[in-house]
């Protein structure tokens, strides 16, 4: 277990993907407080740990005790993400969590991909 200490405040936190995502729990979100969390990793490994990770965000943010708006930025489309969003939408609003979705597409050379713009 990590030693207790004050929380760390950052603008952006990139959440680990694949097997490392299992290390992201309620304690992670209690201690690493970001304005934006990026969730990436469109793979079958991430799908298995995505719901516990998202629930940990809600539980960890609940413990902050201060009103800071948080943006969650998924970089992939997922049925698990959609279900979590629908089932916990009211709780997200209570905690000041916004899930950023984007229908924007960026075209570069011979490639197009979904994108969103984040400003601080």
């Amino acid at each position: 277990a990590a030693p207790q200490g004050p929380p760390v405040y950052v603008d952006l936190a990139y959440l680990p993907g694949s097997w490392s995502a299992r290390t992201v729990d309620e304690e992670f979100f209690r201690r690493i407080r970001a304005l934006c969390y990026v969730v990436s990793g469109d793979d079958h490994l991430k799908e298995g740990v995505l719901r516990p990770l998202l629930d940990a965000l809600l539980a960890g943010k609940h413990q902050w005790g201060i009103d800071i708006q948080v943006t969650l930025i998924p970089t992939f489309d997922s049925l698990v993400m959609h279900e979590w969003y629908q089932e916990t939408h009211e709780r997200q609003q209570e905690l000041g969590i916004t899930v950023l979705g984007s229908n924007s597409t960026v075209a570069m050379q011979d490639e197009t991909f979904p994108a969103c713009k984040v400003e601080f």
Side-chain angles (χ1 to χ4, degrees):
Q4 292 294 327
V8 175
Y9 292 87
V10 296
D11 289 331
L12 180 77
Y14 185 86
L15 301 176
S18 296
W19 292 107
S20 297
R22 295 173 191 232
T23 64
V24 180
D25 58 9
E26 181 179 334
E27 181 67 9
F28 174 90
F29 290 108
R30 188 191 67 74
R31 297 185 68 176
I32 308 298
R33 299 179 181 187
L35 295 175
C36 296
Y37 292 100
V38 176
V39 181
S40 67
D42 187 11
D43 61 41
H44 68 283
L45 297 175
K46 188 65 161 221
E47 285 290 316
V49 296
L50 185 57
R51 181 63 190 242
L53 183 146
L54 297 170
D55 289 339
L57 169 61
L58 295 176
K61 175 77 166 65
H62 176 74
Q63 295 181 37
W64 290 13
I66 53 176
D67 188 27
I68 296 176
Q69 183 66 34
V70 169
T71 302
L72 180 65
I73 306 169
T75 63
F76 60 98
D77 195 25
S78 161
L79 180 59
V80 172
M81 177 68 74
H82 286 278
E83 290 172 350
W84 176 82
Y85 180 83
Q86 293 296 324
E87 293 170 11
T88 65
H89 185 64
E90 186 174 306
R91 184 77 175 132
Q92 294 167 42
Q93 289 180 320
E94 291 170 6
L95 294 171
I97 297 172
T98 301
V99 178
L100 186 63
S102 176
N103 292 334
S104 299
T105 301
V106 173
M108 292 181 67
Q109 298 172 351
D110 297 333
E111 184 179 10
T112 62
F113 49 90
C116 64
K117 180 179 178 182
V118 180
E119 293 184 23
F120 297 100

